[in-house]
Amino acid sequence: MTNVAIVGASGEMGQSIVNGLLLSKDSFPSINKPEVQSVKERGVRIIIIELDAPHEDLVEALTGQDVVICAIIPDAADLQKALADAAKEAGVKRFMPSAFATACPPAGVMVMREIKEEVISHIKKIYLPYTVVDIGWWYQGTLPRLPSGKLDYAMKFPVKTIASDGNLPTALTDLRDVGKYVARVIADPRTLNKSVFAHSEVRTQEDIFTLLEQASGETIPREYQSRAEVEAASAAAREAYDGKQERSFADMLVLTVAQYPNSMWLRGDNTPEAAAYLGYLSGKELYPDMETERVRFEEYVGEMLAGKGKAAYANRTFPCESKNGGDAKRRL
């Protein structure tokens, strides 16, 4: 039996990972926040500890854990590095930092990636066994509004514009499938000290708009942003971010929203080919049988139209109230 600690298990990504582990054929006990009662009722053992607690307390909490998975907000680099130090001393056999995003070069494109890479570099510096998993862009963040408003019930962040001509592909994964991939990865010795790109499908924005039109019978207006407009927005947001002496999580989110379209829809960073160049192992090649388990994009669209969809972050607010991204007392 493999003991797994999940840090940030009540978040969108954390819940997917918990579900993936509980549904896995392998045996994975795990840790989750106490307020997630539905998870607790499924037999998940809960340990509470402040991530800014003393090093010795973190070591004690992680002792006996084989795998530690971080699913906390990505600006918390110092907290993740402290957790990695504790995991190293506790003898953790595999540490999975908070990645679970699009493929992207380590620097010069997205500040969120740069923060993630800071944590990964620290993990390597202390020779802590690790695995990085990135999953592309969520299905749940791809759809535009329908003129009828039919999908509004499950769309917190509808897509409003198309970058360039909308014909550059990007890799996508249903949020519910992330945990399935993670369960496979942490049980696989081939992925130790490696990065894995586990995606489900590759689509263009035009593909997505057209598919939704065909499935709904509605015509969706297109609002295009030129390459120059997308690049200018990204550059301006970065300049504003770099000019701040003190940066909040909200500041990082504003910049990230501007940088994602440039990375995904213009540069083409988030493709299987780019991920392979960046050194990722392919989830498609590692786990070909996942093709029968994953949610297909057409299925997701059908669920949305049938009134069975669920918005990401539907009942959540972002921790932007204070410096450094809100409450530092995140719990295991």
Side-chain angles (χ1 to χ4, degrees):
M1 179 179 289
T2 300
N3 291 318
V4 182
I6 305 173
V7 184
S10 67
E12 303 292 325
M13 197 65 66
Q15 290 180 58
S16 177
I17 293 170
V18 169
N19 287 333
L21 297 183
L22 291 175
L23 293 172
S24 173
K25 296 176 183 178
D26 296 292
S27 182
F28 297 117
S30 54
I31 295 173
N32 193 17
K33 282 187 177 180
E35 63 263 38
V36 188
Q37 294 301 320
S38 62
V39 174
K40 184 176 181 180
E41 291 166 1
R42 295 168 70 184
V44 177
R45 187 169 66 97
I46 294 170
I47 297 175
I48 304 172
I49 187 170
E50 307 294 351
L51 289 187
D52 56 355
H55 173 75
E56 295 78 12
D57 292 350
L58 293 176
V59 173
E60 181 180 357
L62 297 181
T63 297
Q65 299 300 321
D66 299 300
V67 179
V68 173
I69 302 172
C70 286
I72 60 177
I73 59 174
D75 73 319
D78 289 342
L79 294 178
Q80 282 198 74
K81 287 190 282 187
L83 193 68
D85 289 337
K88 175 71 174 181
E89 186 170 333
V92 169
K93 298 172 184 176
R94 189 190 302 244
F95 189 91
M96 188 173 286
S98 184
F100 311 113
T102 58
C104 181
V109 179
M110 292 191 64
V111 69
M112 185 179 290
R113 188 79 232 174
E114 293 166 8
I115 295 171
K116 293 173 187 283
E117 292 292 336
E118 179 185 343
V119 175
I120 294 168
S121 294
H122 181 77
I123 290 168
K124 292 178 179 179
K125 182 181 75 173
I126 63 176
Y127 290 97
L128 175 65
Y130 74 94
T131 304
V132 173
V133 174
D134 278 311
I135 48 82
W137 191 250
W138 297 351
Y139 287 1
Q140 287 75 10
T142 61
L143 298 183
R145 288 190 72 249
L146 287 174
S148 66
K150 187 173 184 178
L151 302 186
D152 290 0
Y153 77 96
M155 299 182 72
K156 189 167 184 178
F157 302 110
V159 173
K160 297 180 179 179
T161 59
I162 292 178
S164 187
D165 63 2
N167 288 313
L168 191 72
T170 204
L172 308 173
T173 300
D174 191 284
L175 176 58
R176 293 164 292 182
D177 284 339
V178 175
K180 299 174 189 176
Y181 285 116
V182 169
R184 300 295 295 273
V185 166
I186 64 175
D188 187 349
R190 297 173 296 175
T191 63
L192 189 63
N193 301 328
K194 304 290 184 181
S195 295
V196 179
F197 192 61
H199 75 287
S200 294
E201 297 191 16
V202 175
R203 298 270 180 172
T204 70
Q205 285 188 290
E206 187 59 40
D207 287 340
I208 293 166
F209 274 60
T210 300
L211 189 155
L212 182 55
E213 284 182 327
Q214 293 172 345
S216 67
E218 299 185 37
T219 299
I220 304 171
R222 273 39 165 198
E223 180 181 343
Y224 294 93
Q225 274 191 312
S226 69
R227 173 177 290 273
E229 288 173 326
V230 174
E231 291 175 343
S234 178
R238 184 68 196 238
E239 183 178 0
Y241 180 84
D242 289 343
K244 292 179 178 290
Q245 290 185 341
E246 295 186 359
R247 300 164 186 153
S248 67
F249 183 46
D251 294 327
M252 189 193 72
L253 285 180
V254 170
L255 175 57
T256 299
V257 168
Q259 289 182 324
Y260 261 126
N262 182 53
S263 175
M264 290 170 52
W265 302 119
L266 294 185
R267 288 177 46 87
D269 295 323
N270 186 46
T271 64
E273 295 78 15
Y277 173 85
L278 293 170
Y280 288 87
L281 299 178
S282 168
K284 293 283 189 186
E285 295 178 4
L286 290 171
Y287 316 114
D289 57 311
M290 272 293 294
E291 286 301 298
T292 63
E293 297 181 29
R294 67 175 180 85
V295 178
R296 283 162 175 72
F297 193 78
E298 289 87 347
E299 294 176 52
Y300 165 67
V301 171
E303 290 174 353
M304 290 287 287
L305 291 170
K308 299 178 180 179
K310 180 182 177 183
Y313 304 116
N315 301 312
R316 297 176 184 274
T317 56
F318 292 100
C320 307
E321 290 78 18
S322 65
K323 186 173 67 176
N324 297 325
D327 186 3
K329 296 181 178 179
R330 302 170 180 88
R331 292 178 172 84
L332 290 182

